[in-house]
Amino acid sequence: MSEPARHSGLGAHRQPGRAERPTGGRHPVRRAGLRLAAACAAALTFFTAAPAGALPAGGNPRPAADSTASAEYPVVLSIESLAPQVAVPNGTVTITGHVTNAGKSALKGAHAAVRKPYSGKPLDRRSDLANVAGRTTPIGTDGVELDSPQYALPELNPGQTLPYTLSVAVNDLGLSSSGVYELAVDAWGSTADNSHDRALGIARSFLPYNPGGAEAQPTKVATLWPLVHAPVLAAQTVADTGDQSTSVLRDDSLAAEFAPGGRLYELVDTGSKLPGLTWVIDPDLVDAAFAMAKPYRVQNPGTESAGKPARDDNTVPGTGTAAATAWLDKLRAAVAKPDSQVVALPYADPDLASIAHNGADLPGMSTALNKAATAGRLTVEGRLSVDTRSDVAWPYQGYVDQRITGLAQQAGSGLVLANGASMPEPDSLNYTPSAVRPIGNGQSAVVADETVSGLFQQDLSSAKDQTDATQRFLAETFAITHEQPQNQRGLLVMPPRELSVNTAKVLANALQAAAGKWIAPTKLDGVAQSSPDPKANTGVPAAADYPTQARASELSAADLSGTDRIQYDLDTLMRVLTLPQRVRGPFNAAMARSLSTEWRTRAPAGGAYRQGVKMYLQELTKAVQVPPKRVVTLAGDTGQLQVSVRNDLTQTVTNLKLVLTSTQPNRLRVSKEEELVLPASQSATLRFQAEAHNNGPVNMTAQLWTTGPNPRAYGEAQTFRVEVTSVTNGVLYVFAGAGLLLLLAALRFMRQRKRRDGRPHEDGDQPVGDAPQADGGAVAEPEADGADGTPGDSGSGGSGPADDSAGDGPAQTPRGSSPDGRDRAASDEKVGP
């Protein structure tokens, strides 16, 4: 048989649509003898290695683990380990995996064997690697099966699985030079329903061969190592009897994650062993760990969105204090390594893409982003005692467009971490350019390699997936380095934000296997500060090109508007507090958490968190209010209306005024607004001078307003009814007389108008515009309220300590308060009991 026919896998008696086993030039009888010998050895060595349960009790077959099997290729093979991961001359490569009969009939006389790489030449281009990885069925270019080693398979019924181990000498693989080679294991034989000897299935991997020789400039590889978690700190705390307060968490999930075996523990432990790592840290996570390092409490399940003040009866003690303390110490040691870098994300990792697409026009968003950036840097540096870089934007999954990069720049981010899918390289570029590139207006992007980063986007929990990712990483980075051996370039590896433990360990193993050979681990700055390639793509796509799938998970305009409204209401509350620092810090942090990117995959939890912040702010705002009342009686034509204002906060409030507005000021008018200062946990009664002009009910509105520039309505308005009784007959006669005079004046005006029109006036002696005055002068009425709801100027009055008709009295001073109204125990605001 000719050499091309051997390599293509085509035999002289090839059946249509099927590839016959390449013979490798050996005589069929000799081949059969070798196969029998190999089968005997394999039976002793490997068949007994089948794990318990591989052939289930009762004869029930284990379901096939791969859906790629077909009637023509019923065997599914896996490669689950390669040792070593990089081949060297005169060495041996050991391959382990499993063989599964995923077909409908038993295997007959089958065996597994290694294929010698096709032509013995390496896969030089990354496109060659992609081509091999994309194959699903055996083909001739997968190479020629070696006669040794082989693993003879017993008769496998449908669904049955056996492990295999094959050790092959590197010299037998015929590797011609340094490079990356396909390493394939196939199954060959027949089935009960088809006796034709043929290829039954194949598994492929990549084997770098590094014999040394010509030196290449190693590729600088910056790897992001994210430490993020969905926000758990609530806006409220529980007051202590000392000078501190106890933090409150929405749940206790971090207790397990900080403990050995937990995700965050293992990430720090694994990352601490790697050189040149870039830690990307959410400051809110560090704050949560810091809060948990002291005694803390956890909200009862189902109460997270209620927004009620935290108390001992609706929270339980947290369990993660020891784990959080140890984790912080471990993290501080890891990030302090001189070859590491720390990137501090904006506090709570706000979702840049969602804000850019759905909330860029909201006035509070830019303020929230700027505050989050500053708070992020200060938190990480303060808690971990390490220098940080805080001008780095990391949009969701690295997808960028012009709106996102523009918003990032407004927030002070000069460097954007981008996904290669957003900024693909031109087809004309036949090598991988350096990751850094300018994108305009003094801003730069570091673009992650799409293929390399894509290897680590899922939880690599199976041995097959782990080996696939490791060997593909080694192959891709080897190919990148040797595309242009003397042109050193920078590569960014961007795993997902919530990097799993399994995937982190696979990535760490891959980095260690290549480090010092053809890659050089480096910090993010090591790539970001290198010279950009002028041929690389620098175009940022338009917003219309943002991936539809990523857009579908964004925070909605309604979500962002609700958070923006929280900012407005918070600013209103700040105007009246004498100790605003108790509220400002916790709520600013809670607002940033409401915008967190981590809500992308936890939309219901994000909605509950935002609702909880909103409701708690309403609780604080409603703690200063006008108690509801229904009816007030005013006996006589003048008197005083008494209205109470309560302050159930644990601090004094000021810069407030109470405005009463009558819906019928011609029947009942009141004096101007009254300003007030209310000590903590007390109430005050304000008196408004009232003057009635008629008996009967009049609706009245009581509204608190802030004082100073740009006054705002504070809280909800209270509406009540004033029953006016016993207005004297004399007063009524005066009113009636005044009404009659006004009517006569109107008639005289009309007669004068008729006279101007040439018609004779009925009262020719009456001068034009001569209006009589009641009691020698005109009576000025108060202005009605404007259409916009702002109160008119209605004069001034006094105040007094008496109760109003609702009977409200001074509130009991809550635990920890003092005569000056200050809660010495609280670090943020509470609502008193």
Side-chain angles (χ1 to χ4, degrees):
M1 186 179 295
S2 66
E3 189 70 17
R6 289 176 54 209
H7 280 256
S8 66
L10 299 178
H13 304 286
R14 176 176 181 262
Q15 294 185 1
R18 292 185 178 176
E20 187 173 336
R21 175 193 174 204
T23 64
R26 296 182 183 270
H27 191 277
V29 175
R30 184 179 180 187
R31 208 169 52 242
L34 290 173
R35 186 182 306 168
L36 180 60
C40 294
L44 295 174
T45 307
F46 302 111
F47 187 71
T48 57
L55 301 176
N60 296 323
R62 190 169 69 183
D66 198 312
S67 61
T68 60
S70 64
E72 187 172 4
Y73 302 107
V75 172
V76 175
L77 290 100
S78 64
I79 296 176
E80 297 172 7
S81 72
L82 288 180
Q85 296 162 323
V86 179
V88 295
N90 304 316
T92 299
V93 176
T94 300
I95 311 163
T96 68
H98 281 82
V99 180
T100 301
N101 181 1
K104 296 181 179 180
S105 61
L107 301 184
K108 299 290 185 178
H111 69 272
V114 179
R115 287 200 180 190
K116 180 180 179 180
Y118 176 72
S119 77
K121 295 181 180 179
L123 305 168
D124 293 326
R125 298 184 179 276
R126 299 184 70 188
S127 58
D128 297 333
L129 302 178
N131 182 41
V132 170
R135 296 174 188 167
T136 58
T137 58
I139 62 174
T141 51
D142 287 317
V144 179
E145 185 182 276
L146 294 174
D147 289 328
S148 177
Q150 291 187 357
Y151 171 31
L153 298 171
E155 182 173 309
L156 282 182
N157 292 320
Q160 289 184 338
T161 298
L162 282 178
Y164 74 85
T165 300
L166 294 169
S167 295
V168 59
V170 173
N171 293 342
D172 290 343
L173 293 174
L175 310 182
S176 60
S177 60
S178 176
V180 176
Y181 294 83
E182 176 187 354
L183 184 65
V185 175
D186 70 358
W188 197 278
S190 61
T191 58
D193 61 355
N194 187 338
S195 61
H196 179 67
D197 195 31
R198 68 194 192 277
L200 300 175
I202 195 167
R204 301 176 180 87
S205 188
F206 296 101
L207 182 65
Y209 180 53
N210 192 38
E215 292 294 330
Q217 292 291 326
T219 300
K220 295 186 294 183
V221 176
T223 304
L224 306 182
W225 206 257
L227 295 179
V228 300
H229 188 277
V232 294
L233 278 170
Q236 55 265 62
T237 64
V238 176
D240 294 335
T241 56
D243 294 332
Q244 301 295 325
S245 60
T246 299
S247 298
V248 175
L249 274 63
R250 302 180 71 248
D251 60 59
D252 213 9
S253 58
L254 283 176
E257 293 217 21
F258 287 150
R263 187 182 74 91
L264 292 170
Y265 178 94
E266 295 298 330
L267 286 182
V268 174
D269 185 64
T270 302
S272 65
K273 302 178 178 67
L274 297 176
L277 208 58
T278 300
W279 301 83
V280 184
I281 301 176
D282 179 0
D284 177 54
L285 174 61
V286 179
D287 250 1
F290 191 81
M292 292 172 62
K294 298 173 287 186
Y296 66 98
R297 300 190 69 83
V298 179
Q299 292 175 333
N300 289 334
T303 65
E304 303 91 341
S305 61
K308 295 297 182 182
R311 299 184 300 269
D312 289 350
D313 61 352
N314 60 12
T315 60
V316 296
T319 62
T321 297
T325 302
W327 183 81
L328 278 173
D329 291 339
K330 194 175 187 67
L331 178 59
R332 291 187 183 104
V335 300
K337 296 173 62 175
D339 55 353
S340 296
Q341 181 174 6
V342 175
V343 170
L345 292 170
Y347 195 93
D349 191 17
D351 192 336
L352 273 177
S354 294
I355 297 172
H357 295 154
N358 304 322
D361 57 343
L362 296 174
M365 289 297 104
S366 60
T367 300
L369 286 177
N370 290 332
K371 289 180 178 178
T374 302
R377 176 179 58 83
L378 295 176
T379 299
V380 174
E381 290 182 351
R383 303 294 196 209
L384 301 182
S385 303
V386 65
D387 292 334
T388 67
R389 179 165 186 175
S390 59
D391 65 336
V392 178
W394 188 13
Y396 175 67
Q397 293 185 346
Y399 291 119
V400 298
D401 60 31
Q402 294 172 6
R403 290 185 184 177
I404 295 172
T405 56
L407 181 64
Q409 189 171 47
Q410 292 176 18
S413 296
L415 189 68
V416 179
L417 304 177
N419 188 328
S422 289
M423 300 180 66
E425 302 307 331
D427 293 337
S428 59
L429 203 61
N430 60 3
Y431 64 92
T432 304
S434 198
V436 66
R437 59 207 61 185
I439 57 175
N441 300 318
Q443 198 174 34
S444 297
V446 179
V447 182
D449 187 89
E450 181 181 6
T451 300
V452 173
S453 297
L455 299 174
F456 307 101
Q457 293 301 312
Q458 60 182 335
D459 181 21
L460 302 174
S461 57
S462 72
K464 173 187 179 299
D465 290 342
Q466 293 169 2
T467 298
D468 286 348
T470 300
Q471 297 305 124
R472 184 72 183 274
F473 175 88
L474 297 176
E476 293 286 345
T477 53
F478 191 100
I480 290 170
T481 297
H482 292 85
E483 286 170 335
Q484 293 188 338
Q486 302 309 313
N487 178 21
Q488 188 177 45
R489 284 149 293 152
L491 185 74
L492 176 66
V493 180
M494 180 192 294
R497 272 175 162 80
E498 292 205 354
L499 180 62
S500 72
V501 174
N502 292 325
T503 303
K505 291 182 176 180
V506 173
L507 177 53
N509 175 56
L511 289 168
Q512 289 170 326
K517 298 181 178 70
W518 58 85
I519 72 169
T522 188
K523 307 174 186 178
L524 176 63
D525 283 351
V527 173
Q529 295 171 2
S530 59
S531 299
D533 190 318
K535 296 181 181 180
N537 178 21
T538 60
V540 178
D545 296 325
Y546 189 78
T548 302
Q549 184 177 4
R551 191 180 289 273
S553 64
E554 288 180 342
L555 303 182
S556 68
D559 294 334
L560 299 175
S561 296
T563 301
D564 193 62
R565 178 66 195 187
I566 291 175
Q567 180 65 64
Y568 180 89
D569 293 342
L570 178 62
D571 291 341
T572 303
L573 180 62
M574 292 298 96
R575 295 185 179 199
V576 307
L577 300 180
T578 53
L579 298 172
Q581 66 274 14
R582 291 186 185 175
V583 175
R584 183 185 296 112
F587 268 99
N588 283 340
M591 283 186 59
R593 296 182 195 116
S594 298
L595 304 172
S596 177
T597 304
E598 277 61 59
W599 301 132
R600 287 271 193 154
T601 56
R602 300 174 177 83
Y609 188 88
R610 286 185 290 274
Q611 179 69 9
V613 175
K614 172 185 173 183
M615 297 302 294
Y616 183 52
L617 180 57
Q618 288 181 358
E619 287 283 330
L620 292 181
T621 301
K622 288 191 299 184
V624 181
Q625 64 169 327
V626 177
K629 59 172 63 189
R630 293 185 177 180
V631 180
V632 175
T633 300
L634 181 66
D637 40 325
T638 61
Q640 289 184 337
L641 296 180
Q642 300 183 56
V643 181
S644 288
V645 180
R646 292 187 61 86
N647 174 20
D648 285 332
L649 295 177
T650 55
Q651 63 173 284
T652 300
V653 295
T654 185
N655 299 326
L656 273 176
K657 63 182 178 181
L658 179 62
V659 178
L660 291 189
T661 304
S662 171
T663 59
Q664 295 176 288
N666 59 320
R667 295 180 56 196
L668 178 66
R669 65 180 182 181
V670 294
S671 58
K672 291 184 177 180
E673 65 267 11
E674 294 289 338
E675 296 190 7
L676 68 155
V677 175
L678 272 178
S681 303
Q682 292 190 23
S683 63
T685 300
L686 307 181
R687 295 186 176 88
F688 293 81
Q689 191 66 33
E691 183 177 347
H693 298 166
N694 203 347
N695 287 328
V698 177
N699 289 331
M700 189 74 63
T701 299
Q703 174 69 65
L704 287 169
W705 285 76
T706 64
T707 59
N710 302 315
R712 298 178 180 180
Y714 180 92
E716 297 180 357
Q718 292 291 345
T719 301
F720 58 94
R721 189 172 73 250
V722 177
E723 292 285 357
V724 180
T725 61
S726 303
V727 175
T728 62
N729 291 336
V731 172
L732 296 178
Y733 293 152
V734 170
F735 290 163
L740 179 60
L741 292 176
L742 290 174
L743 177 60
L744 292 175
L747 292 175
R748 285 195 297 273
F749 174 76
M750 294 189 63
R751 287 196 295 271
Q752 292 293 335
R753 183 172 182 180
K754 290 179 181 179
R755 183 177 302 169
R756 289 195 300 271
D757 293 339
R759 291 171 289 180
H761 201 283
E762 298 173 2
D763 186 1
D765 296 330
Q766 181 66 42
V768 178
D770 185 10
Q773 297 180 344
D775 298 331
V779 179
E781 296 292 342
E783 289 185 5
D785 289 352
D788 62 352
T790 55
D793 185 5
S794 57
S796 175
S799 63
D803 254 344
D804 66 2
S805 59
D808 293 322
Q812 294 295 321
T813 302
R815 180 184 66 178
S817 65
S818 56
D820 64 356
R822 181 175 181 180
D823 183 359
R824 305 290 184 185
S827 64
D828 65 350
E829 191 51 64
K830 311 293 184 302
V831 179

